[in-house]
Amino acid sequence: MTLTYTEEDYIKGIYHLQQTYNTVSTNQLASLLEATPASITDMLKKLKAKKLLNYEKYKGFHLTAEGKKLSVNIVRRHRLWEYFLVEKLQFGWDEVHEVAEELEHITSKKLVEKLDAFLGHPRFDPHGDPIPDNNGKITPHIQLNLIDLPLNTPAEICSVGSQSSSLLELLNHKHINIGTRVEVKRRFGFDRSLEIKLKNQPAITLSQQLAQALFVKTI
Amino acid sequence: MTLTYTEEDYIKGIYHLQQTYNTVSTNQLASLLEATPASITDMLKKLKAKKLLNYEKYKGFHLTAEGKKLSVNIVRRHRLWEYFLVEKLQFGWDEVHEVAEELEHITSKKLVEKLDAFLGHPRFDPHGDPIPDNNGKITPHIQLNLIDLPLNTPAEICSVGSQSSSLLELLNHKHINIGTRVEVKRRFGFDRSLEIKLKNQPAITLSQQLAQALFVKTI
DNA sequence: AATAAATTTTAGACAAATCTAAAATAAATT
DNA sequence: AATTTATTTTAGATTTGTCTAAAATTTATT
Ligand SMILES: [Mn+2]
Ligand SMILES: [Mn+2]
Ligand SMILES: [Mn+2]
Ligand SMILES: [Mn+2]
């Protein structure tokens, strides 16, 4: 099964959406891929014809087992390249997404396996998202939203809820990274903001919006 | 100036051909790119419209300064990736071409510069071909065809005349690589074959065809 | 110089991916 | 239940890259 770059972006988009919404709608995918609903419908027919998608007119859609398997492999490539860019080429973690969006489409099995080995079989990408292994297996991620972390409980940032550059810019400014140790010191009901402490640093404030975009595991 | 992957492959093909034939013909390019002459003509018009190509109907064509500059950059990316694949990912030098053919189309300036630095600014790719620098400057390659190397003159293989896998397979078999030291011991007029010696090894025979595909510099 | 052969271009068609505008269907509201 | 609104699909057009078959042009040969 060879797919065009565009078909790959579509099934990857559907894969991400159906993690949250079991069945995906035309408008949701149109919004994610920044295309018109008409374009989405056209592609849904093609993906259905290739047996990658379960789709009935007006009824929403989700990937077949085959479609999901291919999508997971695209996600694997995307996240391996992101790891490469940050760990080997010294990119900032907020600079890698667009380039990985292109690199992910190079499907050479040999390339992916050798890259994985060269990187030391990393299990998480620079945003804390798990990298599927060569069989499509994904290390489950037991993660707690920072907004739900109990007071004075040491924890470590393990992923972010979005890759928007505005979020990543803010995190860079506050010196928060994947792996950063945090403790929540106070909660303010008025605006649901948090006061947190990073190791050996004065307490800082996080807005509700920011805290909700951060996931942690206790340590 | 943003180019499609296909436009990039076309100007790169023209660039390589015009190194040998100052002006390139439709059929030459069709044969190189494995497309029909009609497809070539279509693309020539587009490239002319983008001012990358000097082209008059039936008169052959060659790149403008701008077209050449863009082509050299594609060649730079192609060869940097080949170097990466061999030196970092342990590919064989006969396995890298196809993958580099895809990687070369990722144009991110930051990616290319960081990759170049990561690799230590290599000056030659795994086939001995020079890697253009960031300004498009190419280290000139004073190379002698092995068939013209005088007898008993120590020399080093510095590049190969083709990347065909049949050639590279044969070189692997004979343990000949970029950097291998050779001396020509005898020439046979009948079939123009050569007897050569690699360091600390018994003499072996190279056919005329093989010797003509190898370039050396004396040491 | 006339003819034949090779090369190159054009004409017309098709697949992929996209769009806009209109039509069909489903969901929400009165 | 009828109507309005939102969603989704279809119809038809456009761009990019490709092809085959036919026409135009150049080059080679008699
Ligand atoms: Mn992509
Ligand atoms: Mn990521
Ligand atoms: Mn290419
Ligand atoms: Mn090369």
mmCIF file of all heavy atoms in Angstrom, chain B residues 36-80:
data_model
loop_
_atom_site.group_PDB
_atom_site.id
_atom_site.type_symbol
_atom_site.label_atom_id
_atom_site.label_comp_id
_atom_site.label_asym_id
_atom_site.label_seq_id
_atom_site.Cartn_x
_atom_site.Cartn_y
_atom_site.Cartn_z
ATOM 1 N N THR B 36 8.577 10.971 -20.689
ATOM 2 C CA THR B 36 8.490 11.114 -22.141
ATOM 3 C C THR B 36 8.959 12.507 -22.557
ATOM 4 O O THR B 36 8.856 13.459 -21.772
ATOM 5 C CB THR B 36 7.046 10.932 -22.623
ATOM 6 O OG1 THR B 36 6.234 11.932 -22.014
ATOM 7 C CG2 THR B 36 6.515 9.553 -22.269
ATOM 8 N N PRO B 37 9.434 12.635 -23.797
ATOM 9 C CA PRO B 37 9.833 13.960 -24.279
ATOM 10 C C PRO B 37 8.698 14.980 -24.157
ATOM 11 O O PRO B 37 8.952 16.155 -23.881
ATOM 12 C CB PRO B 37 10.197 13.701 -25.737
ATOM 13 C CG PRO B 37 10.618 12.266 -25.763
ATOM 14 C CD PRO B 37 9.740 11.572 -24.770
ATOM 15 N N ALA B 38 7.464 14.555 -24.335
ATOM 16 C CA ALA B 38 6.337 15.489 -24.228
ATOM 17 C C ALA B 38 6.249 16.087 -22.826
ATOM 18 O O ALA B 38 6.010 17.285 -22.664
ATOM 19 C CB ALA B 38 5.036 14.772 -24.574
ATOM 20 N N SER B 39 6.477 15.257 -21.823
ATOM 21 C CA SER B 39 6.443 15.754 -20.443
ATOM 22 C C SER B 39 7.563 16.764 -20.210
ATOM 23 O O SER B 39 7.371 17.782 -19.539
ATOM 24 C CB SER B 39 6.598 14.603 -19.461
ATOM 25 O OG SER B 39 5.597 13.644 -19.651
ATOM 26 N N ILE B 40 8.717 16.476 -20.786
ATOM 27 C CA ILE B 40 9.851 17.395 -20.634
ATOM 28 C C ILE B 40 9.502 18.762 -21.227
ATOM 29 O O ILE B 40 9.683 19.793 -20.573
ATOM 30 C CB ILE B 40 11.102 16.825 -21.340
ATOM 31 C CG1 ILE B 40 11.468 15.433 -20.799
ATOM 32 C CG2 ILE B 40 12.272 17.794 -21.204
ATOM 33 C CD1 ILE B 40 11.788 15.369 -19.338
ATOM 34 N N THR B 41 8.976 18.752 -22.436
ATOM 35 C CA THR B 41 8.628 20.028 -23.078
ATOM 36 C C THR B 41 7.662 20.827 -22.206
ATOM 37 O O THR B 41 7.825 22.038 -22.029
ATOM 38 C CB THR B 41 7.995 19.776 -24.457
ATOM 39 O OG1 THR B 41 8.922 19.029 -25.248
ATOM 40 C CG2 THR B 41 7.708 21.081 -25.160
ATOM 41 N N ASP B 42 6.664 20.149 -21.645
ATOM 42 C CA ASP B 42 5.714 20.844 -20.768
ATOM 43 C C ASP B 42 6.450 21.542 -19.628
ATOM 44 O O ASP B 42 6.194 22.710 -19.327
ATOM 45 C CB ASP B 42 4.718 19.841 -20.170
ATOM 46 C CG ASP B 42 3.693 19.362 -21.187
ATOM 47 O OD1 ASP B 42 3.551 20.006 -22.237
ATOM 48 O OD2 ASP B 42 3.045 18.331 -20.927
ATOM 49 N N MET B 43 7.349 20.815 -18.992
ATOM 50 C CA MET B 43 8.032 21.384 -17.840
ATOM 51 C C MET B 43 8.996 22.494 -18.246
ATOM 52 O O MET B 43 9.150 23.472 -17.519
ATOM 53 C CB MET B 43 8.764 20.277 -17.074
ATOM 54 C CG MET B 43 9.463 20.764 -15.829
ATOM 55 S SD MET B 43 8.364 21.495 -14.583
ATOM 56 C CE MET B 43 7.868 20.034 -13.679
ATOM 57 N N LEU B 44 9.622 22.352 -19.408
ATOM 58 C CA LEU B 44 10.545 23.401 -19.865
ATOM 59 C C LEU B 44 9.826 24.749 -19.923
ATOM 60 O O LEU B 44 10.382 25.783 -19.550
ATOM 61 C CB LEU B 44 11.104 23.046 -21.249
ATOM 62 C CG LEU B 44 11.983 21.789 -21.328
ATOM 63 C CD1 LEU B 44 12.441 21.547 -22.758
ATOM 64 C CD2 LEU B 44 13.178 21.865 -20.380
ATOM 65 N N LYS B 45 8.582 24.724 -20.393
ATOM 66 C CA LYS B 45 7.811 25.973 -20.479
ATOM 67 C C LYS B 45 7.601 26.579 -19.088
ATOM 68 O O LYS B 45 7.704 27.793 -18.911
ATOM 69 C CB LYS B 45 6.445 25.696 -21.107
ATOM 70 C CG LYS B 45 6.513 25.377 -22.580
ATOM 71 C CD LYS B 45 5.109 25.056 -23.073
ATOM 72 C CE LYS B 45 5.133 24.393 -24.430
ATOM 73 N NZ LYS B 45 3.828 23.763 -24.727
ATOM 74 N N LYS B 46 7.293 25.706 -18.129
ATOM 75 C CA LYS B 46 7.064 26.215 -16.767
ATOM 76 C C LYS B 46 8.348 26.807 -16.190
ATOM 77 O O LYS B 46 8.328 27.874 -15.572
ATOM 78 C CB LYS B 46 6.579 25.078 -15.853
ATOM 79 C CG LYS B 46 5.173 24.624 -16.169
ATOM 80 C CD LYS B 46 4.772 23.418 -15.310
ATOM 81 C CE LYS B 46 3.607 22.666 -15.953
ATOM 82 N NZ LYS B 46 3.479 21.292 -15.432
ATOM 83 N N LEU B 47 9.452 26.100 -16.395
ATOM 84 C CA LEU B 47 10.717 26.575 -15.838
ATOM 85 C C LEU B 47 11.155 27.876 -16.525
ATOM 86 O O LEU B 47 11.710 28.763 -15.878
ATOM 87 C CB LEU B 47 11.798 25.497 -15.984
ATOM 88 C CG LEU B 47 11.539 24.226 -15.173
ATOM 89 C CD1 LEU B 47 12.592 23.168 -15.485
ATOM 90 C CD2 LEU B 47 11.512 24.515 -13.676
ATOM 91 N N LYS B 48 10.863 27.982 -17.821
ATOM 92 C CA LYS B 48 11.176 29.229 -18.514
ATOM 93 C C LYS B 48 10.333 30.370 -17.942
ATOM 94 O O LYS B 48 10.849 31.454 -17.680
ATOM 95 C CB LYS B 48 10.912 29.082 -20.008
ATOM 96 C CG LYS B 48 11.317 30.320 -20.775
ATOM 97 C CD LYS B 48 10.987 30.249 -22.247
ATOM 98 C CE LYS B 48 11.463 31.534 -22.922
ATOM 99 N NZ LYS B 48 11.166 31.523 -24.372
ATOM 100 N N ALA B 49 9.041 30.092 -17.731
ATOM 101 C CA ALA B 49 8.149 31.113 -17.177
ATOM 102 C C ALA B 49 8.641 31.576 -15.798
ATOM 103 O O ALA B 49 8.465 32.731 -15.423
ATOM 104 C CB ALA B 49 6.728 30.565 -17.080
ATOM 105 N N LYS B 50 9.272 30.685 -15.060
ATOM 106 C CA LYS B 50 9.810 31.054 -13.747
ATOM 107 C C LYS B 50 11.219 31.629 -13.835
ATOM 108 O O LYS B 50 11.874 31.832 -12.815
ATOM 109 C CB LYS B 50 9.811 29.819 -12.829
ATOM 110 C CG LYS B 50 8.423 29.350 -12.428
ATOM 111 C CD LYS B 50 8.464 28.368 -11.260
ATOM 112 C CE LYS B 50 7.048 28.076 -10.781
ATOM 113 N NZ LYS B 50 7.022 27.340 -9.508
ATOM 114 N N LYS B 51 11.689 31.829 -15.042
ATOM 115 C CA LYS B 51 13.011 32.426 -15.300
ATOM 116 C C LYS B 51 14.157 31.595 -14.731
ATOM 117 O O LYS B 51 15.179 32.122 -14.302
ATOM 118 C CB LYS B 51 13.085 33.861 -14.744
ATOM 119 C CG LYS B 51 12.106 34.837 -15.413
ATOM 120 C CD LYS B 51 12.351 36.256 -14.915
ATOM 121 C CE LYS B 51 11.207 37.201 -15.275
ATOM 122 N NZ LYS B 51 11.084 37.436 -16.737
ATOM 123 N N LEU B 52 13.966 30.284 -14.700
ATOM 124 C CA LEU B 52 15.039 29.401 -14.238
ATOM 125 C C LEU B 52 15.780 28.787 -15.420
ATOM 126 O O LEU B 52 16.812 28.139 -15.232
ATOM 127 C CB LEU B 52 14.462 28.286 -13.366
ATOM 128 C CG LEU B 52 13.682 28.758 -12.141
ATOM 129 C CD1 LEU B 52 13.109 27.577 -11.385
ATOM 130 C CD2 LEU B 52 14.578 29.592 -11.243
ATOM 131 N N LEU B 53 15.219 28.972 -16.629
ATOM 132 C CA LEU B 53 15.739 28.248 -17.778
ATOM 133 C C LEU B 53 15.790 29.154 -18.999
ATOM 134 O O LEU B 53 14.839 29.872 -19.272
ATOM 135 C CB LEU B 53 14.811 27.053 -18.061
ATOM 136 C CG LEU B 53 15.320 25.971 -19.005
ATOM 137 C CD1 LEU B 53 16.488 25.238 -18.380
ATOM 138 C CD2 LEU B 53 14.193 25.005 -19.345
ATOM 139 N N ASN B 54 16.905 29.088 -19.721
ATOM 140 C CA ASN B 54 16.989 29.705 -21.044
ATOM 141 C C ASN B 54 16.588 28.634 -22.046
ATOM 142 O O ASN B 54 17.253 27.606 -22.149
ATOM 143 C CB ASN B 54 18.425 30.155 -21.330
ATOM 144 C CG ASN B 54 18.847 31.270 -20.396
ATOM 145 O OD1 ASN B 54 19.796 31.111 -19.633
ATOM 146 N ND2 ASN B 54 18.145 32.374 -20.419
ATOM 147 N N TYR B 55 15.529 28.919 -22.761
ATOM 148 C CA TYR B 55 14.958 27.889 -23.630
ATOM 149 C C TYR B 55 14.260 28.527 -24.811
ATOM 150 O O TYR B 55 13.428 29.421 -24.627
ATOM 151 C CB TYR B 55 13.983 27.036 -22.805
ATOM 152 C CG TYR B 55 13.054 26.153 -23.604
ATOM 153 C CD1 TYR B 55 13.559 25.203 -24.492
ATOM 154 C CD2 TYR B 55 11.669 26.272 -23.463
ATOM 155 C CE1 TYR B 55 12.704 24.402 -25.217
ATOM 156 C CE2 TYR B 55 10.806 25.462 -24.177
ATOM 157 C CZ TYR B 55 11.322 24.534 -25.053
ATOM 158 O OH TYR B 55 10.478 23.728 -25.764
ATOM 159 N N GLU B 56 14.630 28.091 -26.019
ATOM 160 C CA GLU B 56 13.880 28.453 -27.213
ATOM 161 C C GLU B 56 13.513 27.150 -27.909
ATOM 162 O O GLU B 56 14.360 26.268 -28.056
ATOM 163 C CB GLU B 56 14.708 29.329 -28.148
ATOM 164 C CG GLU B 56 15.075 30.713 -27.592
ATOM 165 C CD GLU B 56 13.871 31.565 -27.204
ATOM 166 O OE1 GLU B 56 12.797 31.424 -27.835
ATOM 167 O OE2 GLU B 56 14.001 32.355 -26.246
ATOM 168 N N LYS B 57 12.269 27.077 -28.318
ATOM 169 C CA LYS B 57 11.747 25.913 -29.043
ATOM 170 C C LYS B 57 12.758 25.303 -29.994
ATOM 171 O O LYS B 57 13.314 26.016 -30.832
ATOM 172 C CB LYS B 57 10.570 26.356 -29.912
ATOM 173 C CG LYS B 57 9.218 26.188 -29.332
ATOM 174 C CD LYS B 57 8.246 26.249 -30.523
ATOM 175 C CE LYS B 57 6.887 26.767 -30.175
ATOM 176 N NZ LYS B 57 6.027 26.788 -31.381
ATOM 177 N N TYR B 58 12.956 24.029 -29.900
ATOM 178 C CA TYR B 58 13.814 23.254 -30.808
ATOM 179 C C TYR B 58 15.308 23.591 -30.679
ATOM 180 O O TYR B 58 16.114 23.034 -31.410
ATOM 181 C CB TYR B 58 13.400 23.443 -32.281
ATOM 182 C CG TYR B 58 12.034 22.878 -32.622
ATOM 183 C CD1 TYR B 58 10.943 23.708 -32.842
ATOM 184 C CD2 TYR B 58 11.856 21.495 -32.736
ATOM 185 C CE1 TYR B 58 9.697 23.199 -33.161
ATOM 186 C CE2 TYR B 58 10.602 20.970 -33.066
ATOM 187 C CZ TYR B 58 9.527 21.821 -33.276
ATOM 188 O OH TYR B 58 8.311 21.313 -33.598
ATOM 189 N N LYS B 59 15.661 24.479 -29.756
ATOM 190 C CA LYS B 59 17.031 24.958 -29.720
ATOM 191 C C LYS B 59 17.840 24.443 -28.517
ATOM 192 O O LYS B 59 18.942 24.898 -28.281
ATOM 193 C CB LYS B 59 17.051 26.506 -29.709
ATOM 194 C CG LYS B 59 16.491 27.148 -30.964
ATOM 195 C CD LYS B 59 17.443 27.015 -32.141
ATOM 196 C CE LYS B 59 16.775 27.352 -33.464
ATOM 197 N NZ LYS B 59 16.269 28.730 -33.580
ATOM 198 N N GLY B 60 17.255 23.542 -27.715
ATOM 199 C CA GLY B 60 17.964 23.109 -26.507
ATOM 200 C C GLY B 60 17.829 24.141 -25.403
ATOM 201 O O GLY B 60 17.186 25.190 -25.590
ATOM 202 N N PHE B 61 18.449 23.853 -24.257
ATOM 203 C CA PHE B 61 18.215 24.738 -23.097
ATOM 204 C C PHE B 61 19.346 24.581 -22.088
ATOM 205 O O PHE B 61 20.129 23.633 -22.122
ATOM 206 C CB PHE B 61 16.871 24.400 -22.431
ATOM 207 C CG PHE B 61 16.647 22.920 -22.243
ATOM 208 C CD1 PHE B 61 17.062 22.269 -21.077
ATOM 209 C CD2 PHE B 61 16.037 22.152 -23.239
ATOM 210 C CE1 PHE B 61 16.870 20.903 -20.910
ATOM 211 C CE2 PHE B 61 15.846 20.777 -23.074
ATOM 212 C CZ PHE B 61 16.260 20.151 -21.910
ATOM 213 N N HIS B 62 19.451 25.571 -21.208
ATOM 214 C CA HIS B 62 20.365 25.514 -20.059
ATOM 215 C C HIS B 62 19.856 26.464 -18.992
ATOM 216 O O HIS B 62 19.081 27.385 -19.273
ATOM 217 C CB HIS B 62 21.798 25.854 -20.473
ATOM 218 C CG HIS B 62 21.932 27.187 -21.139
ATOM 219 N ND1 HIS B 62 22.225 28.330 -20.453
ATOM 220 C CD2 HIS B 62 21.768 27.554 -22.434
ATOM 221 C CE1 HIS B 62 22.257 29.352 -21.291
ATOM 222 N NE2 HIS B 62 21.970 28.909 -22.504
ATOM 223 N N LEU B 63 20.292 26.238 -17.755
ATOM 224 C CA LEU B 63 19.771 26.992 -16.621
ATOM 225 C C LEU B 63 20.213 28.454 -16.644
ATOM 226 O O LEU B 63 21.313 28.768 -17.101
ATOM 227 C CB LEU B 63 20.261 26.358 -15.310
ATOM 228 C CG LEU B 63 19.780 24.927 -15.045
ATOM 229 C CD1 LEU B 63 20.525 24.342 -13.849
ATOM 230 C CD2 LEU B 63 18.277 24.874 -14.815
ATOM 231 N N THR B 64 19.371 29.337 -16.139
ATOM 232 C CA THR B 64 19.791 30.712 -15.855
ATOM 233 C C THR B 64 20.651 30.692 -14.593
ATOM 234 O O THR B 64 20.753 29.668 -13.905
ATOM 235 C CB THR B 64 18.578 31.604 -15.578
ATOM 236 O OG1 THR B 64 17.903 31.110 -14.410
ATOM 237 C CG2 THR B 64 17.600 31.610 -16.750
ATOM 238 N N ALA B 65 21.246 31.834 -14.267
ATOM 239 C CA ALA B 65 22.049 31.934 -13.040
ATOM 240 C C ALA B 65 21.200 31.527 -11.831
ATOM 241 O O ALA B 65 21.646 30.755 -10.968
ATOM 242 C CB ALA B 65 22.579 33.353 -12.882
ATOM 243 N N GLU B 66 19.976 32.030 -11.794
ATOM 244 C CA GLU B 66 19.062 31.695 -10.692
ATOM 245 C C GLU B 66 18.766 30.197 -10.649
ATOM 246 O O GLU B 66 18.782 29.583 -9.583
ATOM 247 C CB GLU B 66 17.766 32.506 -10.879
ATOM 248 C CG GLU B 66 16.632 32.182 -9.931
ATOM 249 C CD GLU B 66 16.872 32.647 -8.498
ATOM 250 O OE1 GLU B 66 17.912 33.296 -8.239
ATOM 251 O OE2 GLU B 66 16.022 32.339 -7.641
ATOM 252 N N GLY B 67 18.477 29.608 -11.809
ATOM 253 C CA GLY B 67 18.200 28.174 -11.858
ATOM 254 C C GLY B 67 19.388 27.354 -11.398
ATOM 255 O O GLY B 67 19.239 26.355 -10.679
ATOM 256 N N LYS B 68 20.567 27.799 -11.780
ATOM 257 C CA LYS B 68 21.777 27.083 -11.398
ATOM 258 C C LYS B 68 22.002 27.166 -9.884
ATOM 259 O O LYS B 68 22.329 26.172 -9.239
ATOM 260 C CB LYS B 68 22.973 27.687 -12.141
ATOM 261 C CG LYS B 68 24.222 26.833 -12.075
ATOM 262 C CD LYS B 68 25.254 27.302 -13.087
ATOM 263 C CE LYS B 68 26.581 26.580 -12.882
ATOM 264 N NZ LYS B 68 27.600 27.048 -13.842
ATOM 265 N N LYS B 69 21.773 28.348 -9.350
ATOM 266 C CA LYS B 69 21.955 28.548 -7.909
ATOM 267 C C LYS B 69 21.036 27.603 -7.123
ATOM 268 O O LYS B 69 21.461 26.938 -6.169
ATOM 269 C CB LYS B 69 21.646 30.013 -7.557
ATOM 270 C CG LYS B 69 22.136 30.439 -6.191
ATOM 271 C CD LYS B 69 21.820 31.920 -5.950
ATOM 272 C CE LYS B 69 20.868 32.075 -4.777
ATOM 273 N NZ LYS B 69 20.261 33.414 -4.686
ATOM 274 N N LEU B 70 19.778 27.538 -7.544
ATOM 275 C CA LEU B 70 18.828 26.653 -6.855
ATOM 276 C C LEU B 70 19.258 25.190 -7.006
ATOM 277 O O LEU B 70 19.174 24.413 -6.062
ATOM 278 C CB LEU B 70 17.418 26.861 -7.412
ATOM 279 C CG LEU B 70 16.786 28.223 -7.105
ATOM 280 C CD1 LEU B 70 15.487 28.412 -7.869
ATOM 281 C CD2 LEU B 70 16.534 28.378 -5.609
ATOM 282 N N SER B 71 19.715 24.827 -8.192
ATOM 283 C CA SER B 71 20.131 23.437 -8.430
ATOM 284 C C SER B 71 21.301 23.043 -7.548
ATOM 285 O O SER B 71 21.335 21.942 -6.992
ATOM 286 C CB SER B 71 20.541 23.255 -9.889
ATOM 287 O OG SER B 71 19.475 23.605 -10.740
ATOM 288 N N VAL B 72 22.277 23.937 -7.447
ATOM 289 C CA VAL B 72 23.453 23.632 -6.624
ATOM 290 C C VAL B 72 23.031 23.383 -5.190
ATOM 291 O O VAL B 72 23.559 22.498 -4.513
ATOM 292 C CB VAL B 72 24.485 24.783 -6.716
ATOM 293 C CG1 VAL B 72 25.564 24.631 -5.660
ATOM 294 C CG2 VAL B 72 25.107 24.817 -8.104
ATOM 295 N N ASN B 73 22.023 24.130 -4.736
ATOM 296 C CA ASN B 73 21.560 23.927 -3.371
ATOM 297 C C ASN B 73 20.884 22.573 -3.194
ATOM 298 O O ASN B 73 21.000 21.947 -2.136
ATOM 299 C CB ASN B 73 20.618 25.068 -2.975
ATOM 300 C CG ASN B 73 20.662 25.303 -1.481
ATOM 301 O OD1 ASN B 73 19.752 24.902 -0.774
ATOM 302 N ND2 ASN B 73 21.752 25.892 -0.998
ATOM 303 N N ILE B 74 20.183 22.117 -4.216
ATOM 304 C CA ILE B 74 19.574 20.790 -4.146
ATOM 305 C C ILE B 74 20.665 19.723 -4.086
ATOM 306 O O ILE B 74 20.600 18.777 -3.293
ATOM 307 C CB ILE B 74 18.639 20.536 -5.349
ATOM 308 C CG1 ILE B 74 17.545 21.596 -5.401
ATOM 309 C CG2 ILE B 74 18.021 19.146 -5.266
ATOM 310 C CD1 ILE B 74 16.822 21.664 -6.738
ATOM 311 N N VAL B 75 21.681 19.907 -4.922
ATOM 312 C CA VAL B 75 22.807 18.969 -4.916
ATOM 313 C C VAL B 75 23.476 18.970 -3.534
ATOM 314 O O VAL B 75 23.839 17.911 -3.004
ATOM 315 C CB VAL B 75 23.821 19.344 -6.016
ATOM 316 C CG1 VAL B 75 25.108 18.551 -5.867
ATOM 317 C CG2 VAL B 75 23.207 19.109 -7.390
ATOM 318 N N ARG B 76 23.613 20.153 -2.959
ATOM 319 C CA ARG B 76 24.186 20.251 -1.604
ATOM 320 C C ARG B 76 23.382 19.405 -0.614
ATOM 321 O O ARG B 76 23.929 18.608 0.139
ATOM 322 C CB ARG B 76 24.189 21.717 -1.166
ATOM 323 C CG ARG B 76 24.478 21.958 0.317
ATOM 324 C CD ARG B 76 24.751 23.446 0.545
ATOM 325 N NE ARG B 76 24.640 23.848 1.933
ATOM 326 C CZ ARG B 76 25.573 23.624 2.868
ATOM 327 N NH1 ARG B 76 26.679 22.979 2.535
ATOM 328 N NH2 ARG B 76 25.381 24.036 4.100
ATOM 329 N N ARG B 77 22.068 19.578 -0.634
ATOM 330 C CA ARG B 77 21.232 18.825 0.304
ATOM 331 C C ARG B 77 21.342 17.324 0.039
ATOM 332 O O ARG B 77 21.479 16.530 0.975
ATOM 333 C CB ARG B 77 19.774 19.297 0.196
ATOM 334 C CG ARG B 77 19.596 20.750 0.616
ATOM 335 C CD ARG B 77 18.145 21.142 0.810
ATOM 336 N NE ARG B 77 17.326 20.971 -0.375
ATOM 337 C CZ ARG B 77 16.953 21.956 -1.191
ATOM 338 N NH1 ARG B 77 17.338 23.205 -0.971
ATOM 339 N NH2 ARG B 77 16.193 21.703 -2.233
ATOM 340 N N HIS B 78 21.286 16.957 -1.235
ATOM 341 C CA HIS B 78 21.377 15.534 -1.591
ATOM 342 C C HIS B 78 22.653 14.912 -1.019
ATOM 343 O O HIS B 78 22.605 13.854 -0.380
ATOM 344 C CB HIS B 78 21.362 15.393 -3.116
ATOM 345 C CG HIS B 78 21.356 13.981 -3.599
ATOM 346 N ND1 HIS B 78 20.217 13.343 -4.019
ATOM 347 C CD2 HIS B 78 22.355 13.076 -3.713
ATOM 348 C CE1 HIS B 78 20.519 12.103 -4.377
ATOM 349 N NE2 HIS B 78 21.814 11.913 -4.203
ATOM 350 N N ARG B 79 23.773 15.577 -1.208
ATOM 351 C CA ARG B 79 25.062 14.986 -0.811
ATOM 352 C C ARG B 79 25.264 15.036 0.696
ATOM 353 O O ARG B 79 25.876 14.120 1.274
ATOM 354 C CB ARG B 79 26.195 15.679 -1.586
ATOM 355 C CG ARG B 79 26.114 15.323 -3.073
ATOM 356 C CD ARG B 79 27.199 15.948 -3.931
ATOM 357 N NE ARG B 79 26.988 15.537 -5.324
ATOM 358 C CZ ARG B 79 27.561 16.111 -6.379
ATOM 359 N NH1 ARG B 79 28.394 17.140 -6.201
ATOM 360 N NH2 ARG B 79 27.308 15.670 -7.601
ATOM 361 N N LEU B 80 24.754 16.085 1.345
ATOM 362 C CA LEU B 80 24.831 16.112 2.817
ATOM 363 C C LEU B 80 24.059 14.930 3.406
ATOM 364 O O LEU B 80 24.538 14.253 4.317
ATOM 365 C CB LEU B 80 24.253 17.422 3.367
ATOM 366 C CG LEU B 80 25.162 18.649 3.320
ATOM 367 C CD1 LEU B 80 24.395 19.889 3.762
ATOM 368 C CD2 LEU B 80 26.406 18.450 4.196
#
